[in-house]
Every structure is written in C-alpha cells, then in structure tokens.
Amino acid sequence: MTTNDTILIFDTTLRDGEQSPGCSMNLEEKLQVAAQLETMGVDIIEAGFAIASQGDFEAVSEVARQCRKATVASLARAAIADIDRAWEAVRHAAKPRIHTFIATSPLHMRVKLNKSPEEVLEAIQRTVSHASGLCPDVEWSAEDATRSEPDFLARAIETAIAAGARTINLPDTVGYATPETYGAMFRDMINRVPNADLAVFSTHCHNDLGLAVANTLSAVMAGARQVESTINGIGERAGNAAVEEIAMALKVRHDVMPVRTNIVSTEITRASRMVSGITGFQVQPNKAIVGANAFAHESGIHQDGMLKDASTYEIMTPESVGVSTSNLVMGKHSGRAAFRSKLEELGYSLGDNAFQDAFVRFKALADAKKAVFDEDIVALVDDEVLRGHDRIQVKEVEIHCGTGPARAILTLEIDGEEKTAATRGSGPVDALFAAIGELVPHDRGSLERYEVHAVTGGTDAQAEVSVLLSEDGRTTRGRGAHHDTLVASARAYVNALNKLMVKRGRAPVDVAAG
C-alpha cells in the first residue's frame, strides 16, 4: 500500500463505460474523451480491451500515442495472447500499463472458468510474470472479489504481487457489496497478505444496488489508494462509480477523508457534457455534481437562504465543477470576440475553421431564439464536433404536416454527393425517418428508442434528440441538437447510422438509386 495521501484516479470510461448497450464511440470520439481526461487530471486511462477487435486495438494504440501525462492501460484476460496484444497496443505510451484479470470466486471459477483454485493460482503466476516481463507497470484484478473466499483471495493476491503486479484491484464486479463489507475486505487483505506493502490496492465498484460511490469511499478509508470509475458513472448494467462524485466527495469532505486527488475539478462539467454528447446518454437532472438541477433551488426557504449566503444550501460552488453562474450572456448582437471568449470559458479550444462553422451556427441559433444560454452553446458546438467526420450529413429538412398524412422532403449529403427524397408518413417524425430510409436503405425496424429533451426552458428551447439503432446484435446511439426538433431528429438518426457503418467496418454506404 502507498504511504502518501494521493488517491490515483483510474478512468475506465473508454473500456468499461463503452460496454453500456448502445454506448459506442468511434476512434475520433475516443481521442477527444482521452484528451479531456488528461486535461481533467486523470492519472490512468484504461483505453480498451486490445484483443477484443482490431478496432479496439487501434483505439488503444492511438490513445497510447496521444497521451503524454496519463498512464494508458489495456485490459487483458489471464492468457498469454491477450497480454501480448495489450502490450503491443500500449507499448508506445509515455507510461504504459497492462491490466490483467481472472475470476477468484467459487461460482466464477466453477461455472465460467471450469478451473480449480490451484489452476487459477498457477494461471495468475504464469500470466502476471509474463506481463511484468514486458511492462514495468502491471495491474492484476480478482474478478468477483467480493464473492471470493477470503483465504483464497489472500493467496491469489500474494501470488500476483510475487509475480510482479504492483497494483491489486479488488472489484465488486456485480455490485453485491455494502460499504461495511467492501471496506472490511480491503482492510483484511492489506493486513493479511505478507507482501501487500509492495502494491497499491484499487477499487472497482458497480452500481447495481446504488452503492458504488459509497463502497469506493469506504475502501479508500480502509487503505485503497487507486479508484476505478467512469464519467457520469456509465458502464455495464447500472453502471460504475462516477468519477465526478468520488472526486468532489473527497474534496468537499476532506475533514473526514484526509486524502487528495489530482483531478482539476473545474473540468468536470466539460467532461460530463462531452461524454453525454458523444454517447447519447443523457445525464438525469437530479444527478449529483453534473445534473441540471445540481445547483438549482426552487423552494422559497432555500432561495431566501441562498440570497443571504449561498453556503446555506450549497456545499460546493458551481464554479468549482466548471459551471458558469451567469446563464444569459450571449445573443444575436454578440460578435466573434465575445463568442470565442465564451467558448474558452466553457472549455472549448477550436481551430479557425471549426470556430467559423460554430459561429455561423450560433448566429443562426441566436436569430431563432430569444435567449442563448451556456447549455445551448455547449449543445451546438458538441453537435458540430460529433458530425465532423460523418459520411452522411443532413443538408435540408422540409416538413408538411397537419390533419392529413405528413410529408417530408429531405436532402442528405452522402460521401460528398447530395441526394433528395420526398416521403409520407403517419406523422412528421415517421415521414422524416422514412425519407432517411429511402436515401440510405436499412432495416427501419432497427429503431429501438427515440428521445427528445429540451436543452433549456421556454417554448423556443433548443432540442436535443437521441436515438438507439440495433443491427445484428450491434447497437449504436445517435445524437442531434437544433432549435427545430425535427432537424435535431434527422441529425440524431443520421449520426446513429454513421456509427453503425463504423461498426460494420466502414463498408461503402448503400445509397438508393436516383
């Protein structure tokens, strides 16, 4: 265990977070997220599972080449081929790490691995030794640690450390633990394992019972000095412990948890919005730290207290997590200098061409809306960034609707060529999606979910739309933002189609004739 009071933040948004159904990211998006994670001060970025696919391998490799400050890790099963592939992917990183794992609970060893405890110990010794011979930084995880027998878990940890692991992760793989039992497990293992002082102990908590952050903090109090988590808590099933909640809990309650992290808290909201925009996973309004209502006060008693002293009802300031306290500061008369200053305040650094495109869209939005809020600008810029490399792009949307059948006239640019279709439907959205289906033939039954959210309040609010498409077991989420809900809908659907093509392996777009 480390003797200092710094908690290392291990972010697995790009690996475990991406395992949420429909939460896929392409290479460009993963590089954007990795860059923001570095800016936010994350210590270790788990970039993916290198052996899972060629796409995963390439993503891990590119993240490894890009990151200069953070350690970059790739996950690997307890298999030589996995470990070699992981090393090949991260070897060019400034600080590479191989993260290998094997199950240690009786249930997993019997049902999933079909191995005896002695065979598992042999696999740990063999694979961790191999990994440490390739990479100076090796992490070993005991999958399903919280349902493992303590005596065997201690033997497994001792074996991994003796073989060269210098980080020991004890994950609550199925979200089974409680704060008391999770903290007690760390305390027991740190005290019991003879060579425990040679390793950093790490947490990895899932949120099946809503206890992921509480369990993580309990383990920190018991001696863990690395925590594994994701932006917005995304991940398999109910998700993971949320980076932003852990970081701010440790910062605000330093009095009872006298430790620190390297997280730049003012970058938290920017990271949250980026991941939400890229994945299409909306952050619930009452989400701690980054939800829309996190710093909102409606009760008269609360408002009175806030006016007298904000600390009466706020235990942290909005500015401390990167939220601007001024909402309405931009309008149709704002110029380029003011717009660039606002983008910098919101955490964006755009090149000249991207800035010009964003400014043109901002002016169009300002003409259409009475008031432009920070949230509008974030949605506008993120929407443009998401579309930067899309092969199919929405050019024009025209809708006719009333008491009869709706009609849509849609123009898409597909691989540089504009195509137009006119279709009818039972409603405007149905007609619009039918037009997309005519221009880009695909199974329209693949649409599993269609959601519309208002970015801000008011009847002129900008709309943010997300859709979920599925094909042959693959799912993708698309997102679109616009002051016209139907344009946002077209953008979201087309964004999902573009991601679906990436999952197909970037095959040529199947375009309808005519």
Side-chain angles (χ1 to χ4, degrees):
M1 161 180 138
T2 57
T3 55
N4 62 49
D5 294 323
T6 298
I7 304 300
L8 301 175
I9 301 295
F10 177 115
D11 186 278
T12 186
T13 302
L14 298 180
R15 200 276 300 171
D16 202 342
E18 200 199 16
Q19 291 176 197
S20 295
C23 180
S24 60
M25 304 179 223
N26 61 34
L27 176 58
E28 292 85 358
E29 291 164 346
K30 287 185 176 182
L31 292 174
Q32 289 175 39
V33 173
Q36 178 59 25
L37 293 176
E38 274 210 302
T39 300
M40 197 174 77
V42 164
D43 300 288
I44 303 101
I45 298 173
E46 187 166 54
F49 196 171
I51 205 168
S53 69
Q54 181 61 26
D56 265 41
F57 176 82
E58 291 172 0
V60 175
S61 298
E62 289 303 314
V63 171
R65 292 177 188 276
Q66 172 182 287
C67 293
R68 306 317 306 162
K69 295 181 291 183
T71 295
V72 177
S74 175
L75 190 65
R77 291 167 299 189
I80 299 300
D82 276 43
I83 290 167
D84 288 344
R85 191 66 166 161
W87 173 239
E88 186 61 29
V90 301
R91 65 186 305 170
H92 300 291
K95 291 186 280 187
R97 173 179 291 189
I98 294 174
H99 178 194
T100 184
F101 72 98
I102 193 169
T104 55
S105 69
L107 177 64
H108 277 227
M109 288 190 292
R110 183 182 72 252
V111 175
K112 193 176 79 170
L113 300 180
N114 192 27
K115 289 182 181 293
S116 68
E118 291 305 320
E119 288 174 318
V120 168
L121 291 176
E122 187 280 327
I124 294 170
Q125 195 284 325
R126 175 170 44 84
T127 55
V128 173
S129 294
H130 183 72
S132 61
L134 298 172
C135 182
D137 186 352
V138 175
E139 175 172 343
W140 175 78
S141 288
E143 186 182 9
D144 207 21
T146 52
R147 294 191 295 177
S148 299
E149 295 176 347
D151 289 344
F152 179 73
L153 181 60
R155 291 177 63 198
I157 293 169
E158 183 178 0
T159 299
I161 295 174
R166 289 299 172 261
T167 301
I168 298 296
N169 182 37
L170 304 180
D172 185 21
T173 305
V174 294
Y176 178 73
T178 65
E180 292 78 9
T181 60
Y182 198 59
M185 179 183 68
F186 276 84
R187 195 171 292 108
D188 182 30
M189 293 301 121
I190 290 171
N191 290 331
R192 181 195 294 214
V193 175
N195 50 5
D197 60 321
L198 299 178
V200 172
F201 278 72
S202 177
T203 73
H204 183 118
C205 296
H206 281 267
N207 208 36
D208 298 72
L209 294 176
L211 296 172
V213 171
N215 287 341
T216 298
L217 297 178
S218 178
V220 166
M221 295 295 286
R225 286 298 176 264
Q226 175 180 288
V227 297
E228 304 190 4
S229 47
T230 61
I231 300 295
N232 297 335
I234 63 172
E236 289 191 278
R237 303 184 313 279
N240 289 268
V243 174
E244 61 277 3
E245 295 178 23
I246 294 168
M248 292 310 294
L250 293 176
K251 182 174 183 177
V252 172
R253 295 311 312 271
H254 185 76
D255 56 328
V256 295
M257 295 177 285
V259 292
R260 56 179 293 276
T261 74
N262 292 317
I263 292 295
V264 181
S265 66
T266 51
E267 293 291 334
I268 284 175
T269 297
R270 171 79 184 113
S272 170
R273 288 170 174 170
M274 176 183 287
V275 170
S276 177
I278 286 174
T279 62
F281 274 39
Q282 299 291 330
V283 175
Q284 67 199 57
N286 62 329
K287 165 77 168 64
I289 314 300
V290 293
N293 294 346
F295 297 97
H297 306 271
E298 188 168 334
S299 160
I301 294 174
H302 286 207
Q303 290 175 344
D304 179 65
M306 286 292 296
L307 290 172
K308 293 173 180 174
D309 185 338
S311 65
T312 55
Y313 287 102
E314 286 186 350
I315 60 173
M316 66 195 112
T317 66
E319 295 89 346
S320 69
V321 296
V323 176
S324 172
T325 54
S326 58
N327 282 324
L328 178 59
V329 293
M330 301 295 291
K332 65 182 180 180
H333 299 297
S334 300
R336 283 177 172 78
F339 184 61
R340 189 181 292 278
S341 176
K342 170 54 68 176
L343 289 179
E344 291 173 355
E345 177 187 324
L346 294 174
Y348 292 97
S349 178
L350 302 182
D352 290 341
N353 291 338
F355 172 80
Q356 182 59 30
D357 289 343
F359 183 70
V360 169
R361 293 189 64 205
F362 160 71
K363 295 294 276 189
L365 179 63
D367 282 336
K369 285 193 57 159
K370 294 177 183 177
V372 179
F373 295 84
D374 288 358
E375 293 86 351
D376 289 312
I377 295 174
V378 168
L380 178 150
V381 177
D382 282 349
D383 187 64
E384 184 66 27
V385 168
L386 286 176
R387 245 145 290 285
H389 301 281
D390 283 355
R391 298 166 67 190
I392 310 171
Q393 302 208 23
V394 177
K395 304 305 290 184
E396 276 189 46
V397 177
E398 185 178 337
I399 303 291
H400 302 268
C401 59
T403 55
R407 186 163 62 96
I409 304 172
L410 173 69
T411 300
L412 299 179
E413 182 181 294
I414 304 171
D415 286 337
E417 183 179 358
E418 289 193 1
K419 297 279 186 178
T420 300
T423 54
R424 294 179 181 272
S426 59
V429 175
D430 184 56
L432 178 62
F433 288 179
I436 296 174
E438 186 169 308
L439 292 173
V440 186
H442 64 283
D443 177 14
R444 285 193 60 211
S446 65
L447 177 62
E448 293 192 358
R449 194 173 302 161
Y450 169 73
E451 298 173 333
V452 181
H453 305 269
V455 174
T456 56
T459 57
D460 62 350
Q462 191 175 192
E464 212 168 39
V465 176
S466 64
V467 301
L468 180 67
L469 300 183
S470 65
E471 178 187 77
D472 299 330
R474 296 181 292 249
T475 57
T476 59
R477 282 185 182 269
R479 173 189 166 278
H482 197 270
H483 60 270
D484 186 306
T485 304
L486 292 168
V487 175
S489 299
R491 285 172 171 263
Y493 199 111
V494 167
N495 182 234
L497 280 177
N498 277 289
K499 290 183 177 182
L500 206 55
M501 285 193 302
V502 172
K503 287 200 167 188
R504 290 173 183 163
R506 302 196 70 88
V509 182
D510 187 8
V511 182

